[in-house]
Amino acid sequence: AFASGLGTANGSGVTLLGSDPLALAADGLARPVGGSPGTTGSTFTLATDDMDGDPRTQPNDIGADHVSANAPIRGPLTSEDVGPSWFSTGGDPNTSIAAFVEAEGADAILDPDGDSNVFFVQSVPGASNDEVLKSPSGSTSSPGNSETMAVYQVTFPNTGNYTAYYLARGFNGSTNSFFTPTDFATDPTQNETTSSDSNFRWETGDQFTVNSTGAPLEFRIGRRERDTEIDIIVFHPTDNLTDQELDDLVAEWQAGVCDADIDENGVLDFFDMLGYLDLYDAGDLEADTSGDGGLSPTDVIRYILSNEAGCP
C-alpha cells in the first residue's frame, strides 16, 4: 500500500492508498493522478504555483505538482536549455540530430562514361576507419560530365534544413576539389575545394532541405580532380559548426557505433543487447569489451554502459 501524510503507522494523519497515486509523464517526471485520494487535502497557501509553473487552486494537491489540464510552463532541462549549442535539436534531446556518412562506404559507385575509371577505397592510417574514398587519375572533369560518382542513401532523424560538412584533403593545386550536388537525387555540379597540403580539413558545403524522415534520401558526389581524398560527410542543422565541434560530434558518433551497435545499423536498441549477449554466451572474444583476452561479467557491464551512452 502507498501512504501519504504525516503520523504513525496506526495513528491519525496517515492515509493508506490502494494504488500508486503517481504516474510517469512523457518528460520522465512522476506526477499525481487526478482524483487519487493522495492528491487533495493540503491547506498550504504560500506556494501560488506548482513545479510546472501552473497555478495552484484550493484545495491544494499534496506535493510539488498540482493536478491540472494545463500544459507545463516549466520542465526538466534538456540540451535545448544547457550544454553546447551544436547539440540543440529543436526536438527530442535523446535523438541524434545529425546524419553521418563514411565516404568510403558508398552504396553505389557509378561510371557514367563507362571507362572503368572510378572512385575507389584507399587505405589511409589515421583516417576514419583507416580508409577514404579516393578520386581516380585523369584530367580535370567539367560540371555535368562526371567521370565517376559515389551514391549514398542517407537517413535523417528530423525534417528541416541540414548543412553538409566534408572532411577531405588534396595534395596540391591539381588534386584539391570534387563535385557536390545542390539537392538530393541530383548529379553533383558544385565545385567543393579541399586543402592542398595533404592535411584533412573540414569544408562547409550547401544546405539541403529534408521534408520527411524514415526513408533514405539519395546523395551523390562526383570526381573533379585526381587523387582527392574524402573521409567523412556530416549533415547537421547548424550551419556554422567549427572544426572542433565537428571533430567532437564525429568522435561521439564513432564511439557509439564501435562500442555498442552490434548489428551496425546506426541505431542502438534491444536487438543490439541480445546480439551482444549471444556473442558473450558463445564465448566469442568480440564480446571482450575490456580487452583482457577473456570474458567476464565486467565485459557485460562495460557493454551495457556503452550502449546506454547512446549512438546515432
Side-chain angles (χ1 to χ4, degrees), residues 275-291:
Y276 176 81
L277 293 176
D278 285 343
L279 291 172
Y280 183 86
D281 290 341
D284 192 320
L285 287 182
E286 186 178 344
D288 178 22
T289 55
S290 62

Side-chain angles (χ1 to χ4, degrees), residues 198-217:
S198 77
N199 291 315
F200 283 104
R201 185 180 74 193
W202 285 105
E203 312 296 339
T204 303
D206 289 335
Q207 193 174 79
F208 299 86
T209 299
V210 176
N211 293 316
S212 61
T213 60
L217 299 175

Side-chain angles (χ1 to χ4, degrees), residues 76-136:
L77 295 177
T78 71
S79 59
E80 293 294 302
D81 308 299
V82 296
S85 62
W86 64 91
F87 284 122
S88 178
T89 68
D92 183 354
N94 297 314
T95 302
S96 172
I97 60 174
F100 300 85
V101 173
E102 290 282 5
E104 73 276 6
D107 292 281
I109 299 293
L110 305 183
D111 183 18
D113 60 3
D115 66 354
S116 300
N117 197 34
V118 296
F119 277 123
F120 61 96
V121 176
Q122 175 72 45
S123 175
V124 176
S128 179
N129 287 340
D130 291 330
E131 292 180 332
V132 299
L133 184 76
K134 194 175 184 74
S135 296

Side-chain angles (χ1 to χ4, degrees), residues 212-226:
S212 61
T213 60
L217 299 175
E218 186 177 283
F219 187 79
R220 309 169 189 169
I221 60 174
R223 174 201 181 278
R224 183 175 185 271
E225 293 182 303
R226 61 181 176 84

